[in-house]
Amino acid sequence: MTNETGEIRSTQRTQLNLVTKNNHGTARLTPAPPQGELVDSPLFPDAAKRELANPVQRKNLHHAMSTIRAKRTRVTAELENWEELRSAGEAIKNRVGRHLDDYLVQLEENLTKAGTTVHWARDAKEANEIIVGLVKGKLGPEDLPEVVKVKSMVTQEIDMNEALEANGVAAWETDLAELIVQMGHDRPSHILVPAIHRNRSEVREIFLEEMGNYGKAAPEDLDTEPKNLAAASRAHLREKFMRAHVAISGANFAVAETGTLCVVESEGNGRMCLTLADTLISVVGIEKIVPTFADLEVFLQLLPRSSTAERMNPYTSLWTGPREGDGPQEMHVVLIDNGRTDVLADEVGREALRCIRCSACINVCPVYEKVGGHAYGSVYPGPIGAVLTPQLRSMKNPVDRSLPFASSLCGACNDVCPVKIPLMELLIHERHKAVEAKKQRKSYNVHFEPIAMKATSVMFGNGKLWGAALGAETKVGGKVLGRFFDHIGPIPGPLNRWTGARDVPMVPTQSFRAWWDEREKNNGNKAKGDQK
Amino acid sequence: MNAKDEILQRVRKALADVKETDPALDVPVAWRYEQPTAMDDVIGRFVERVEDYKATVVRVGGSEAEIAQAVVDGLTSIEAKDAILPVGLPAAWRSAVEAAGITILSDEPQLTNDQLNAAGAVVTAARVGAAESGTIMLDHADDQGRRALSLVPDAHICVVRTDQVVSDIPEAVGRLQDSVKQQQPITWISGPSATSDIELSRVEGVHGPRTLYVVVAG
């Protein structure tokens, strides 16, 4: 078999079905994701409209989110000291954020002491160069050009899979949901349950269609039972785990005091990656630090109960460098900035860096529940995504500037955040920044909304003007248009900014004032009649 | 400037407003570590919570003979023909398993991944149990074996002694301090491998052991 460059691959390499048909028509090692970059996604209001038109997704999301919300409320109520735990989590993370330079130096020192090699990356590009270099250095000419990886938000943030793919290495997602997303030529739509927008029959179709292209095929008689779908993924991935030379992980926590890394998961795919490969590369955002091992008693209570709404996730792995005869014998940590220091520089906005990626705010968000994760144009959806994405990406893109407005500001997210991030306040803070960023751009157009509001306020302040306006409106609007329509849709021109996102009710045929006057008149007549 | 120096410089510039240099003074943390959680019956709570994860739990006395019998019962219940026993397990367990006609697989020299995959079960001890969350913690000492042993085989028979069981995570993390200092890897297990990725319906058993059989001894 030859790959796209015509190079003859070794016998072992031909075990991989390297050339696959995908939606790009190009030869790839892994299923192609959807075309285009996330930052070039449509603005949130447009993307939201697109997603709202998907009734299957809305149904799946509603079911999932209401189930997980109820469970979360139950398991957090079990702990009498839940509020104290939240405050402790908040304080510990604030301590780390406000002294991050000290803790980073301490972490590096202890990682190194434990035998782990530390790399630093200013941005996504630099991180990917380091990772690609490490992977290529570890894979011999006879090895399959592949790595296994455990679900990691930061590797999605830097688009690592695609960087590896571009360099001839297949990066395999091993979390069931991530595998569904990868095989489905799709993108994750939730940080905890990335394939939550898919239902069981969609998953069955994806597995039947794709698994055989990349390894062990799904059984032909595969049904839609989640148990059997999980078994198909177990069988498909097991051969990859068994032969993996290099594994890639993120980290939920990095302990500065001991150089210990922590990965929290459910399926055991994490343990497989962290245990079976010869080389382990862990990609870690610089905000993931906790000061001491003891601090884990706080976060390993807060995280599972907030995220999967369980008392504890099935598996937590903690490791402090390589250990002879047990697990990977070579370990690397890539510490990534990629915008985090910009977030830190904003004294208000830095509170978002406390996030432990639990997804509680997403699960409780009424906006997310209706539109799903794809509308956000980011790997981080929901309230935290609407805050963090523009912070990390600096509002350079229109989609970033639209995100802080992707909220009804109902405040539910504030109540559930296990580290007390004031998401609502941060959304407002980011809205302000978005407006400022827009003003500074040369292409900035005058907003119609404040002008319209000003004109309306003049009208509201003057009874006669208001009455006249209402009279005109009800005559033209209500009496004429009301015969043909029951509501007003998008209005072209400047009003589109407002009416594009809202249904305006049809103007009544009579103003309230006119109705009141008439009622008074009738009542008066009636009253007079009663007196008689 | 190299990446490390530049990132540290960015951090320091971003934190120009932070004047206090002692992190503990700058941000006090009102939390008392390693506090026990009050509960009437710690062992009872542990059993209840582990069972909640759909693991099988049996309680036996603390003698080696009783534990050995419980281990054999566990292996028999899943019809294991062979089982991996780490070197550090008591001799009484080994002879009981052997007497029951179950082949003991030794990990010295190390079994290959394929051999682990083909093994009927693994038997291990544990380091700590946390009652409130129903979590078993291994620090992979000699009586628990390396990490792959409790991961790849499809069934895990795990013996937790009652004196290893504490109320909740804070006490448990306290007990793991020494293992971390010695750079031992640590695995927390709360029930068998599970996923809720398809329509949030929980499925036990994905990549880790699909059967978790816990012997609570003492």
Side-chain angles (χ1 to χ4, degrees), chain B residues 8 13 15 23-26 29 38 50 55 62 74 90 94 125-126 136 138 172 182 186 204 218:
Chain B
L8 288 175
K13 205 174 145 205
L15 294 174
L25 287 179
D26 187 41
V29 177
V50 176
R94 310 183 77 86
I136 297 163
L138 311 180
Q182 288 155 27
I186 294 167
E204 271 82 24

Side-chain angles (χ1 to χ4, degrees), chain A residues 401-449:
Chain A
R401 294 191 292 274
S402 76
L403 283 176
F405 299 89
S407 165
S408 62
L409 298 181
C410 74
C413 45
N414 282 22
D415 299 337
V416 295
C417 177
V419 287
K420 294 192 174 176
I421 299 171
L423 286 151
M424 209 170 66
E425 287 78 355
L426 292 184
L427 280 163
I428 295 166
H429 180 67
E430 291 302 309
R431 284 183 185 192
H432 177 72
K433 280 175 27 187
V435 172
E436 290 300 315
K438 205 173 169 184
K439 266 189 196 167
Q440 277 164 18
R441 289 165 58 85
K442 281 187 185 151
S443 60
Y444 174 66
N445 290 321
V446 180
H447 248 314
F448 182 76
E449 194 176 305

Side-chain angles (χ1 to χ4, degrees), chain A residues 119-137:
Chain A
H119 311 259
W120 300 73
R122 281 165 276 224
D123 53 25
K125 188 169 163 280
E126 191 167 32
N128 285 328
E129 279 165 10
I130 295 166
I131 296 161
V132 168
L134 286 171
V135 170
K136 292 209 126 185

Side-chain angles (χ1 to χ4, degrees), chain A residues 19 44 172 257 270 296 321 493 504 513:
Chain A
V19 181
F44 182 83
W172 293 111
E257 172 201 44
L296 291 177
V504 180
R513 284 171 172 242

Side-chain angles (χ1 to χ4, degrees), chain A residues 481-482 484-488 504-507:
Chain A
L481 294 177
F484 308 104
F485 309 104
D486 62 351
H487 72 279
I488 297 171
V504 180
M506 179 44 66
V507 184

